[in-house]
Amino acid sequence: MNRSMLRHCALAGLTALALAGPAHAKKPFIVGGLQVGTSGIVEADKGFSSVSDSFDYLDPGLLALRYPTAAIDTVFATLDFRGIDMGIDFQAGSGLLTLSVDQLGFQQQFGKVSVCNPTAPDSCSLARKQALREVRDFLESNPQFLKRLLTALARFSPVDPLAGNPDSLFSRSSRADFQQGFTHKVSQIWGCNTTAFNGTFGQGVMVAAAGDVPDIFVDARARAAQLEGENEFSIGLLTSSTTAESTGGDYATTGYVVPVSYTVKLDSDPRKKIRFDLPFGYTDTEGATSYSLGLGVAYTHPLSDVWTLTPALGVGATGSDDLGSAGGVTSYSLTSAYTLRVNAFAVSLGNSVGRYDALGLKIGDVEAEADISNTVFTNGVLLTGPNALIAKNLVMEFSFTDTRVTGDEVYLDSYDEIGVALGHLSTRMGVIDRYTKVGLSYLVGSGDDGDITSLRLNLSARF
């Protein structure tokens, strides 16, 4: 019955995610304002899922199939590069291309001047192909410009895989730190009359000692203490459907994170834990895919039965050939978790502060490094209960989390998340040995070009 309830909740969450996409989704790259000669704007905006496809669309040979004078005439277009506008301008009768990026105060010319012969348009077409190739190489491999571009994308793009939005590597890293030190800890309480973190029936870590209890209970307490000290393995799945409002259509992103972790409990006190995390991430923005991988370690130290501190260190990397982006992050954070009983419920308060710095990556001959450093403050409250439900081995949770991003400017510097979750417990000797949970949450924040909203389904299991 209990497992059936969890399956129904998961199915309902997946259905909600499937229905959450925007009606008019926007591609990450838009070629707009295409103008050939003096004919004015001759084509409507055209969207693409990869930066390569958007440049292929401007290939002089392909343009000439639609517009015979495109190989030798003036050609101008604006490339919306995930929120940053790039002007691409060919002079008439020339293979010279001018690339301008107003948001960076950048302008540079590529190709050669006066190489076009009106009676031999093929020569001009080849020259313009070469100029476009030079621009692509420049965008991919010039370390100074690439650093400025990647830094600006975190500021102006709501779909950057590195930073600035809920599906970015920076945001996933800070979320993981908060979960390690708060959500993961306090979402496994057995009964509101228990201590917050030891997982037992209202008792501390049980250690058998002859003479202080009747002999009949010594073995039972010893076995319970042994169970309490066993290491843990957990795995989960976080799926999200995110919409970022934007002029000309809304960006739609589907994200998946598979967090895998192993927790080692110290023999001296099982409440002292070292947790190793290995999260895998994947996102799809209208066909543009990106991947991420992280590695983190966190240590939980109890200050009392109801209060713990968790410092954490982490490193991660992300990359997307489609989006023309790559980068990494290093992080360190400190999270506090405090739980108190309020009637039939347990109320847990979480506070976290973390530092997240962009890490440069070298992929082949390409050096990708953004200049981004953020300090993130996360505060949350989680309500667990009531006792009547917990008596049936079920846990109901209601949560609210507020996140604030300071430091270098990013697209989204604050957002809130509200959620509900249902968990199922399995116990032995009064100790939790299995825990599964399904949760649904809604996130909202305001960016420069509109709101970002995200519907999230979270599945997790601890063994």
Side-chain angles (χ1 to χ4, degrees), residues 397-416:
E397 300 173 356
F398 304 90
S399 62
F400 174 80
T401 303
D402 176 77
T403 302
R404 308 280 170 163
V405 182
T406 65
D408 293 322
E409 285 190 279
V410 292
Y411 186 86
L412 190 65
D413 59 11
S414 65
Y415 47 92
D416 296 322

Side-chain angles (χ1 to χ4, degrees), residues 287-326:
T289 59
S290 60
Y291 302 86
S292 65
L293 175 65
L295 177 63
V297 59
Y299 166 68
T300 296
H301 185 83
L303 298 180
S304 70
D305 285 339
V306 297
W307 186 19
T308 66
L309 291 179
T310 302
L313 298 173
V315 63
T318 185
S320 173
D321 185 59
D322 292 333
L323 295 176
S325 181

Side-chain angles (χ1 to χ4, degrees), residues 93-441:
S94 172
L96 188 70
L97 183 156
T98 301
L99 175 70
S100 57
V101 187
D102 292 342
Q103 285 154 303
L104 300 182
F106 173 87
Q107 187 177 87
Q108 185 166 319
Q109 293 181 325
F110 299 85
K112 299 179 180 179
V113 184
S114 302
V115 297
C116 293
N117 185 345
T119 62
D122 288 347
S123 63
C124 190
S125 180
L126 290 174
R128 291 187 172 188
K129 281 186 178 182
Q130 179 60 33
L132 283 170
R133 189 176 298 113
E134 290 179 14
V135 172
R136 291 174 63 169
D137 293 342
F138 178 80
L139 293 176
E140 293 175 354
S141 60
N142 185 282
Q144 292 79 24
F145 179 82
L146 189 57
K147 184 173 186 176
R148 294 181 62 193
L149 178 62
L150 293 176
T151 302
L153 283 168
R155 169 69 180 85
F156 295 107
S157 174
V159 292
D160 186 64
L162 181 61
N165 64 84
D167 295 302
S168 66
L169 179 63
F170 270 48
S171 295
R172 287 177 174 176
S173 298
S174 64
R175 180 187 178 96
D177 288 344
F178 189 68
Q179 287 182 325
Q180 289 167 358
F182 177 63
T183 312
H184 176 76
K185 294 298 303 168
V186 303
S187 68
Q188 300 173 29
I189 303 171
W190 173 255
C192 302
N193 60 338
T194 69
T195 58
F197 307 107
N198 58 27
T200 64
F201 288 115
Q203 304 175 47
V205 177
M206 294 183 290
V207 179
D212 60 353
V213 293
D215 290 344
I216 191 173
F217 297 116
V218 171
D219 290 342
R221 286 179 175 263
R223 288 195 297 272
Q226 183 179 9
L227 286 173
E228 186 70 27
E230 288 184 351
N231 297 337
E232 300 171 355
F233 172 80
S234 65
I235 188 169
L237 172 64
L238 171 65
T239 66
S240 60
S241 178
T242 304
T243 300
E245 296 178 351
S246 176
T247 303
D250 299 340
Y251 293 104
T253 298
T254 302
Y256 302 90
V257 180
V258 179
V260 180
S261 66
Y262 187 75
T263 301
V264 178
K265 299 180 182 179
L266 303 187
D267 292 338
S268 59
D269 186 346
R271 297 176 303 167
K272 298 179 180 179
K273 305 176 182 181
I274 301 175
R275 176 172 164 135
F276 301 93
D277 286 271
L278 187 68
F280 302 87
Y282 168 84
T283 60
D284 182 298
T285 303
E286 288 301 307
T289 59
S290 60
Y291 302 86
S292 65
L293 175 65
L295 177 63
V297 59
Y299 166 68
T300 296
H301 185 83
L303 298 180
S304 70
D305 285 339
V306 297
W307 186 19
T308 66
L309 291 179
T310 302
L313 298 173
V315 63
T318 185
S320 173
D321 185 59
D322 292 333
L323 295 176
S325 181
V329 62
T330 58
S331 64
Y332 53 92
S333 65
L334 179 65
T335 303
S336 166
Y338 183 85
T339 296
L340 63 154
R341 181 182 175 184
V342 179
N343 296 323
F345 291 86
V347 178
S348 301
L349 306 176
N351 311 95
S352 178
V353 58
R355 178 74 174 185
Y356 302 88
D357 298 307
L359 174 68
L361 296 180
K362 186 171 183 179
I363 305 174
D365 295 329
V366 179
E367 295 183 13
E369 180 182 7
D371 188 12
I372 308 170
S373 294
N374 290 135
T375 299
V376 180
F377 299 89
T378 306
N379 300 287
V381 58
L382 187 142
L383 180 68
T384 306
N387 279 338
L389 188 64
I390 293 174
K392 300 177 181 180
N393 281 12
L394 293 174
V395 176
M396 182 71 77
E397 300 173 356
F398 304 90
S399 62
F400 174 80
T401 303
D402 176 77
T403 302
R404 308 280 170 163
V405 182
T406 65
D408 293 322
E409 285 190 279
V410 292
Y411 186 86
L412 190 65
D413 59 11
S414 65
Y415 47 92
D416 296 322
E417 185 172 3
I418 186 169
V420 60
L422 181 65
H424 176 261
L425 304 169
S426 173
T427 63
R428 283 191 300 163
M429 304 295 297
V431 177
I432 299 173
D433 62 346
R434 297 287 188 276
Y435 183 67
T436 56
K437 181 175 70 171
V438 54
L440 190 66
S441 64

